[in-house]
Amino acid sequence: MADSEMANIQHCIDACAAALRACQACAAADIRDGMNSCAPINLDCADICAATLNVLSRGSPHHGDYCALCAHICRACAAECAKHASMHQHCAECQAACERCALECDKHARERHI
């Protein structure tokens, strides 16, 4: 694999990891504060980010399928968090991380190998 390919994959891995952390933090804060509107999508998004990070890290030939779904779920999560971003820092951080993850995953959504 070329260095540029690996660098692109690493950017996506890093974005998935950041979105995973942001989604978990947002869900936890929402639950603690009794504001459960974001929590379900945050948890779904955290799950797909973790799975995508794992398949990218191990070089799965199916990583493109995971990236496509991850981008879709990240956009849904970012849209929900955007509704509360002006009131809650954790929502603003989650929105930004999910938007970045979606953009990085889009780059790999149709790939079948690394």
Side-chain angles (χ1 to χ4, degrees), residues 22-92:
C23 286
Q24 289 174 328
C26 192
D30 285 345
I31 292 167
R32 271 193 309 272
D33 296 343
M35 189 188 95
N36 297 328
S37 56
C38 287
I41 189 66
N42 289 154
L43 296 173
D44 288 348
C45 195
D47 286 346
I48 191 60
C49 287
T52 303
L53 186 154
N54 289 337
V55 298
L56 286 167
S57 295
R58 70 174 169 260
S60 170
H62 303 286
H63 72 277
D65 298 320
Y66 282 80
C67 284
L69 181 57
C70 190
H72 173 74
I73 299 296
C74 277
R75 283 193 178 87
C77 188
E80 183 61 35
C81 284
K83 297 174 186 176
H84 316 109
S86 64
M87 298 176 289
H88 302 282
Q89 183 63 30
H90 57 86
C91 285

